[in-house]
Short mmCIF file of all heavy atoms in Angstrom, two decimals:
data_model
loop_
_atom_site.label_atom_id
_atom_site.label_comp_id
_atom_site.label_asym_id
_atom_site.label_seq_id
_atom_site.Cartn_x
_atom_site.Cartn_y
_atom_site.Cartn_z
N LEU A 142 -8.61 -14.56 -16.69
CA LEU A 142 -7.54 -14.26 -17.66
C LEU A 142 -7.48 -15.36 -18.72
O LEU A 142 -7.38 -15.07 -19.92
CB LEU A 142 -6.18 -14.13 -16.95
CG LEU A 142 -6.01 -12.93 -16.00
CD1 LEU A 142 -4.72 -13.06 -15.21
CD2 LEU A 142 -6.02 -11.61 -16.77
N ILE A 143 -7.58 -16.61 -18.28
CA ILE A 143 -7.55 -17.74 -19.23
C ILE A 143 -8.74 -17.63 -20.20
O ILE A 143 -8.62 -17.96 -21.39
CB ILE A 143 -7.53 -19.09 -18.48
CG1 ILE A 143 -6.16 -19.25 -17.80
CG2 ILE A 143 -7.81 -20.27 -19.42
CD1 ILE A 143 -6.08 -20.37 -16.78
N ALA A 144 -9.85 -17.13 -19.70
CA ALA A 144 -11.03 -16.97 -20.56
C ALA A 144 -10.91 -15.75 -21.48
O ALA A 144 -11.85 -15.43 -22.21
CB ALA A 144 -12.29 -16.85 -19.69
N GLY A 145 -9.76 -15.05 -21.40
CA GLY A 145 -9.51 -13.94 -22.32
C GLY A 145 -10.11 -12.61 -21.88
O GLY A 145 -10.33 -11.72 -22.70
N LYS A 146 -10.35 -12.49 -20.57
CA LYS A 146 -10.92 -11.22 -20.07
C LYS A 146 -9.82 -10.42 -19.37
O LYS A 146 -8.95 -10.98 -18.72
CB LYS A 146 -12.05 -11.52 -19.08
CG LYS A 146 -13.18 -12.31 -19.77
CD LYS A 146 -14.28 -12.66 -18.81
CE LYS A 146 -15.23 -13.67 -19.43
NZ LYS A 146 -15.76 -13.34 -20.77
N HIS A 147 -9.88 -9.10 -19.53
CA HIS A 147 -8.98 -8.24 -18.76
C HIS A 147 -9.42 -8.30 -17.30
O HIS A 147 -10.61 -8.41 -17.02
CB HIS A 147 -9.11 -6.79 -19.21
CG HIS A 147 -8.83 -6.56 -20.67
ND1 HIS A 147 -7.58 -6.68 -21.22
CD2 HIS A 147 -9.66 -6.24 -21.69
CE1 HIS A 147 -7.66 -6.41 -22.52
NE2 HIS A 147 -8.91 -6.15 -22.84
N VAL A 148 -8.44 -8.21 -16.41
CA VAL A 148 -8.79 -8.16 -14.98
C VAL A 148 -8.16 -6.93 -14.34
O VAL A 148 -6.99 -6.61 -14.60
CB VAL A 148 -8.33 -9.45 -14.24
CG1 VAL A 148 -8.67 -9.35 -12.74
CG2 VAL A 148 -8.99 -10.68 -14.84
N VAL A 149 -8.96 -6.24 -13.55
CA VAL A 149 -8.52 -5.05 -12.82
C VAL A 149 -8.78 -5.32 -11.35
O VAL A 149 -9.81 -5.90 -11.00
CB VAL A 149 -9.38 -3.86 -13.32
CG1 VAL A 149 -9.34 -2.70 -12.36
CG2 VAL A 149 -8.94 -3.44 -14.72
N THR A 150 -7.86 -4.91 -10.48
CA THR A 150 -8.05 -5.23 -9.07
C THR A 150 -7.52 -4.17 -8.13
O THR A 150 -6.66 -3.37 -8.49
CB THR A 150 -7.36 -6.58 -8.74
OG1 THR A 150 -7.74 -6.98 -7.42
CG2 THR A 150 -5.85 -6.49 -8.82
N ALA A 151 -8.05 -4.21 -6.90
CA ALA A 151 -7.55 -3.39 -5.80
C ALA A 151 -6.85 -4.28 -4.78
O ALA A 151 -6.49 -3.84 -3.70
CB ALA A 151 -8.71 -2.66 -5.13
N ASN A 152 -6.66 -5.56 -5.12
CA ASN A 152 -6.25 -6.58 -4.15
C ASN A 152 -4.73 -6.64 -3.98
O ASN A 152 -4.03 -7.34 -4.71
CB ASN A 152 -6.80 -7.92 -4.64
CG ASN A 152 -6.58 -9.04 -3.66
OD1 ASN A 152 -5.69 -8.99 -2.82
ND2 ASN A 152 -7.41 -10.06 -3.77
N LYS A 153 -4.23 -5.89 -3.01
CA LYS A 153 -2.77 -5.80 -2.83
C LYS A 153 -2.14 -7.11 -2.39
O LYS A 153 -1.01 -7.42 -2.75
CB LYS A 153 -2.40 -4.67 -1.88
CG LYS A 153 -3.19 -4.58 -0.59
CD LYS A 153 -4.23 -3.50 -0.66
CE LYS A 153 -5.37 -3.85 0.26
NZ LYS A 153 -5.96 -2.72 0.92
N GLN A 154 -2.88 -7.90 -1.59
CA GLN A 154 -2.30 -9.17 -1.17
C GLN A 154 -2.06 -10.08 -2.38
O GLN A 154 -0.99 -10.68 -2.53
CB GLN A 154 -3.21 -9.88 -0.15
CG GLN A 154 -2.58 -11.15 0.36
CD GLN A 154 -3.42 -11.89 1.39
OE1 GLN A 154 -4.52 -11.47 1.73
NE2 GLN A 154 -2.90 -13.00 1.88
N LEU A 155 -3.05 -10.15 -3.25
CA LEU A 155 -2.93 -11.03 -4.41
C LEU A 155 -1.80 -10.54 -5.34
O LEU A 155 -1.01 -11.34 -5.84
CB LEU A 155 -4.26 -11.07 -5.17
CG LEU A 155 -4.34 -12.05 -6.32
CD1 LEU A 155 -4.08 -13.48 -5.85
CD2 LEU A 155 -5.70 -11.98 -7.02
N VAL A 156 -1.73 -9.23 -5.55
CA VAL A 156 -0.70 -8.70 -6.45
C VAL A 156 0.69 -8.90 -5.83
O VAL A 156 1.63 -9.32 -6.51
CB VAL A 156 -0.94 -7.21 -6.78
CG1 VAL A 156 0.17 -6.66 -7.66
CG2 VAL A 156 -2.30 -7.02 -7.45
N ALA A 157 0.82 -8.61 -4.52
CA ALA A 157 2.13 -8.75 -3.87
C ALA A 157 2.60 -10.20 -3.90
O ALA A 157 3.78 -10.48 -4.10
CB ALA A 157 2.06 -8.24 -2.43
N GLU A 158 1.66 -11.15 -3.74
CA GLU A 158 2.08 -12.56 -3.65
C GLU A 158 2.11 -13.26 -5.00
O GLU A 158 2.95 -14.14 -5.23
CB GLU A 158 1.14 -13.31 -2.68
CG GLU A 158 1.34 -12.83 -1.25
CD GLU A 158 0.40 -13.51 -0.25
OE1 GLU A 158 -0.18 -14.55 -0.58
OE2 GLU A 158 0.27 -12.97 0.87
N HIS A 159 1.19 -12.91 -5.91
CA HIS A 159 1.08 -13.66 -7.17
C HIS A 159 1.08 -12.78 -8.42
O HIS A 159 0.78 -13.27 -9.52
CB HIS A 159 -0.21 -14.50 -7.16
CG HIS A 159 -0.23 -15.53 -6.08
ND1 HIS A 159 0.50 -16.71 -6.15
CD2 HIS A 159 -0.87 -15.55 -4.89
CE1 HIS A 159 0.29 -17.40 -5.05
NE2 HIS A 159 -0.52 -16.73 -4.26
N GLY A 160 1.36 -11.48 -8.24
CA GLY A 160 1.27 -10.55 -9.37
C GLY A 160 2.14 -10.95 -10.55
O GLY A 160 1.72 -10.86 -11.72
N CYS A 161 3.36 -11.40 -10.26
CA CYS A 161 4.31 -11.74 -11.33
C CYS A 161 3.70 -12.82 -12.22
O CYS A 161 3.67 -12.70 -13.45
CB CYS A 161 5.62 -12.19 -10.68
SG CYS A 161 6.90 -12.55 -11.86
N GLU A 162 3.20 -13.86 -11.59
CA GLU A 162 2.61 -14.99 -12.32
C GLU A 162 1.35 -14.56 -13.09
O GLU A 162 1.14 -14.93 -14.25
CB GLU A 162 2.25 -16.07 -11.30
CG GLU A 162 1.46 -17.22 -11.82
CD GLU A 162 0.74 -17.95 -10.67
OE1 GLU A 162 1.12 -17.80 -9.51
OE2 GLU A 162 -0.23 -18.68 -11.00
N LEU A 163 0.51 -13.74 -12.44
CA LEU A 163 -0.74 -13.32 -13.09
C LEU A 163 -0.46 -12.40 -14.28
O LEU A 163 -1.14 -12.46 -15.32
CB LEU A 163 -1.67 -12.65 -12.08
CG LEU A 163 -2.19 -13.60 -11.00
CD1 LEU A 163 -2.89 -12.85 -9.87
CD2 LEU A 163 -3.15 -14.64 -11.61
N LEU A 164 0.58 -11.58 -14.16
CA LEU A 164 0.95 -10.72 -15.29
C LEU A 164 1.48 -11.56 -16.46
O LEU A 164 1.19 -11.27 -17.63
CB LEU A 164 2.02 -9.71 -14.85
CG LEU A 164 1.47 -8.52 -14.05
CD1 LEU A 164 2.58 -7.83 -13.29
CD2 LEU A 164 0.75 -7.53 -14.97
N GLN A 165 2.23 -12.60 -16.13
CA GLN A 165 2.73 -13.48 -17.20
C GLN A 165 1.57 -14.18 -17.90
O GLN A 165 1.54 -14.30 -19.13
CB GLN A 165 3.70 -14.52 -16.64
CG GLN A 165 5.09 -13.92 -16.38
CD GLN A 165 5.98 -14.86 -15.59
OE1 GLN A 165 5.59 -15.97 -15.23
NE2 GLN A 165 7.19 -14.40 -15.32
N LEU A 166 0.61 -14.61 -17.11
CA LEU A 166 -0.56 -15.28 -17.69
C LEU A 166 -1.34 -14.30 -18.57
O LEU A 166 -1.76 -14.64 -19.69
CB LEU A 166 -1.45 -15.82 -16.57
CG LEU A 166 -2.77 -16.49 -16.97
CD1 LEU A 166 -2.51 -17.68 -17.91
CD2 LEU A 166 -3.53 -16.97 -15.73
N ALA A 167 -1.51 -13.07 -18.07
CA ALA A 167 -2.24 -12.05 -18.85
C ALA A 167 -1.54 -11.82 -20.19
O ALA A 167 -2.18 -11.75 -21.25
CB ALA A 167 -2.34 -10.76 -18.07
N ARG A 168 -0.21 -11.73 -20.12
CA ARG A 168 0.56 -11.47 -21.37
C ARG A 168 0.34 -12.61 -22.36
O ARG A 168 0.14 -12.39 -23.55
CB ARG A 168 2.03 -11.31 -21.01
CG ARG A 168 2.84 -10.64 -22.09
CD ARG A 168 4.18 -10.16 -21.57
NE ARG A 168 4.02 -9.10 -20.58
CZ ARG A 168 4.61 -9.07 -19.39
NH1 ARG A 168 5.40 -10.05 -19.02
NH2 ARG A 168 4.39 -8.08 -18.57
N LYS A 169 0.39 -13.83 -21.82
CA LYS A 169 0.21 -15.00 -22.68
C LYS A 169 -1.18 -14.99 -23.36
O LYS A 169 -1.32 -15.36 -24.52
CB LYS A 169 0.35 -16.26 -21.81
CG LYS A 169 0.55 -17.53 -22.58
CD LYS A 169 1.04 -18.63 -21.67
CE LYS A 169 0.24 -19.89 -21.94
NZ LYS A 169 0.24 -20.83 -20.85
N LYS A 170 -2.17 -14.54 -22.62
CA LYS A 170 -3.53 -14.54 -23.17
C LYS A 170 -3.86 -13.23 -23.90
O LYS A 170 -4.99 -13.01 -24.31
CB LYS A 170 -4.57 -14.75 -22.04
CG LYS A 170 -4.39 -16.01 -21.24
CD LYS A 170 -4.33 -17.28 -22.04
CE LYS A 170 -5.62 -17.66 -22.67
NZ LYS A 170 -5.54 -19.00 -23.32
N GLN A 171 -2.85 -12.34 -23.97
CA GLN A 171 -3.00 -11.03 -24.65
C GLN A 171 -4.14 -10.19 -24.07
O GLN A 171 -4.95 -9.59 -24.81
CB GLN A 171 -3.19 -11.24 -26.15
CG GLN A 171 -1.95 -11.85 -26.77
CD GLN A 171 -1.99 -11.81 -28.26
OE1 GLN A 171 -2.96 -12.25 -28.88
NE2 GLN A 171 -0.94 -11.27 -28.86
N VAL A 172 -4.19 -10.21 -22.75
CA VAL A 172 -5.12 -9.31 -22.05
C VAL A 172 -4.31 -8.58 -20.98
O VAL A 172 -3.12 -8.82 -20.82
CB VAL A 172 -6.30 -10.10 -21.40
CG1 VAL A 172 -7.25 -10.61 -22.46
CG2 VAL A 172 -5.78 -11.21 -20.51
N SER A 173 -4.96 -7.68 -20.26
CA SER A 173 -4.24 -6.90 -19.25
C SER A 173 -4.66 -7.28 -17.84
O SER A 173 -5.80 -7.67 -17.61
CB SER A 173 -4.54 -5.40 -19.44
OG SER A 173 -3.99 -4.95 -20.65
N TYR A 174 -3.70 -7.12 -16.92
CA TYR A 174 -3.98 -7.26 -15.49
C TYR A 174 -3.45 -5.97 -14.86
O TYR A 174 -2.24 -5.75 -14.81
CB TYR A 174 -3.25 -8.50 -14.94
CG TYR A 174 -3.48 -8.76 -13.47
CD1 TYR A 174 -4.76 -8.88 -12.96
CD2 TYR A 174 -2.41 -8.91 -12.59
CE1 TYR A 174 -4.99 -9.14 -11.61
CE2 TYR A 174 -2.61 -9.17 -11.24
CZ TYR A 174 -3.91 -9.29 -10.76
OH TYR A 174 -4.12 -9.54 -9.42
N LEU A 175 -4.35 -5.11 -14.44
CA LEU A 175 -3.94 -3.81 -13.90
C LEU A 175 -4.42 -3.67 -12.45
O LEU A 175 -5.47 -4.19 -12.08
CB LEU A 175 -4.50 -2.65 -14.73
CG LEU A 175 -3.97 -2.48 -16.16
CD1 LEU A 175 -4.48 -1.18 -16.76
CD2 LEU A 175 -2.46 -2.51 -16.23
N PHE A 176 -3.63 -2.92 -11.66
CA PHE A 176 -3.89 -2.90 -10.20
C PHE A 176 -3.52 -1.56 -9.57
O PHE A 176 -2.98 -1.51 -8.47
CB PHE A 176 -3.13 -4.06 -9.54
CG PHE A 176 -1.76 -4.31 -10.10
CD1 PHE A 176 -0.66 -3.64 -9.62
CD2 PHE A 176 -1.58 -5.22 -11.14
CE1 PHE A 176 0.60 -3.86 -10.15
CE2 PHE A 176 -0.32 -5.44 -11.68
CZ PHE A 176 0.78 -4.76 -11.18
N GLU A 177 -3.82 -0.47 -10.29
CA GLU A 177 -3.49 0.87 -9.75
C GLU A 177 -4.08 1.07 -8.35
O GLU A 177 -3.45 1.68 -7.49
CB GLU A 177 -4.04 1.94 -10.71
CG GLU A 177 -3.71 3.37 -10.33
CD GLU A 177 -2.21 3.64 -10.34
OE1 GLU A 177 -1.59 3.58 -11.41
OE2 GLU A 177 -1.65 3.93 -9.25
N ALA A 178 -5.29 0.55 -8.12
CA ALA A 178 -5.96 0.78 -6.82
C ALA A 178 -5.31 0.02 -5.67
O ALA A 178 -5.64 0.26 -4.51
CB ALA A 178 -7.43 0.36 -6.92
N SER A 179 -4.37 -0.89 -5.99
CA SER A 179 -3.80 -1.71 -4.92
C SER A 179 -2.82 -0.92 -4.05
O SER A 179 -2.51 -1.32 -2.94
CB SER A 179 -3.10 -2.95 -5.50
OG SER A 179 -1.97 -2.56 -6.27
N VAL A 180 -2.31 0.20 -4.56
CA VAL A 180 -1.36 1.02 -3.79
C VAL A 180 -1.85 2.47 -3.80
O VAL A 180 -2.09 3.04 -4.88
CB VAL A 180 0.06 0.98 -4.40
CG1 VAL A 180 1.00 1.88 -3.62
CG2 VAL A 180 0.58 -0.45 -4.43
N GLY A 181 -2.03 3.03 -2.62
CA GLY A 181 -2.37 4.46 -2.54
C GLY A 181 -3.82 4.78 -2.84
O GLY A 181 -4.15 5.94 -3.04
N GLY A 182 -4.71 3.78 -2.86
CA GLY A 182 -6.14 4.05 -3.09
C GLY A 182 -6.35 4.88 -4.35
O GLY A 182 -6.08 4.43 -5.45
N GLY A 183 -6.84 6.11 -4.17
CA GLY A 183 -7.16 6.95 -5.32
C GLY A 183 -5.96 7.66 -5.94
O GLY A 183 -6.12 8.37 -6.94
N ILE A 184 -4.77 7.50 -5.38
CA ILE A 184 -3.60 8.22 -5.92
C ILE A 184 -3.04 7.47 -7.11
O ILE A 184 -2.69 6.30 -6.99
CB ILE A 184 -2.46 8.31 -4.88
CG1 ILE A 184 -2.95 8.83 -3.54
CG2 ILE A 184 -1.32 9.17 -5.40
CD1 ILE A 184 -1.89 8.76 -2.44
N PRO A 185 -2.93 8.13 -8.26
CA PRO A 185 -2.26 7.45 -9.36
C PRO A 185 -0.75 7.42 -9.08
O PRO A 185 -0.11 8.47 -9.08
CB PRO A 185 -2.56 8.34 -10.58
CG PRO A 185 -3.44 9.43 -10.08
CD PRO A 185 -3.34 9.47 -8.60
N VAL A 186 -0.21 6.26 -8.79
CA VAL A 186 1.24 6.20 -8.51
C VAL A 186 1.92 5.08 -9.30
O VAL A 186 3.05 5.24 -9.75
CB VAL A 186 1.53 6.11 -6.99
CG1 VAL A 186 0.90 4.89 -6.36
CG2 VAL A 186 3.02 6.14 -6.71
#
Side-chain angles (χ1 to χ4, degrees):
L142 293 171
I143 289 167
K146 300 177 191 309
H147 303 290
V148 178
V149 161
T150 189
N152 186 336
K153 47 258 153 144
Q154 184 179 1
L155 186 59
V156 178
E158 292 178 16
H159 297 284
C161 183
E162 172 200 341
L163 293 169
L164 282 162
Q165 282 169 0
L166 177 58
R168 198 164 294 130
K169 195 165 135 202
K170 303 306 291 186
Q171 296 192 308
V172 289
S173 294
Y174 181 54
L175 293 188
F176 39 87
E177 183 63 65
S179 66
V180 178
I184 310 172
V186 60

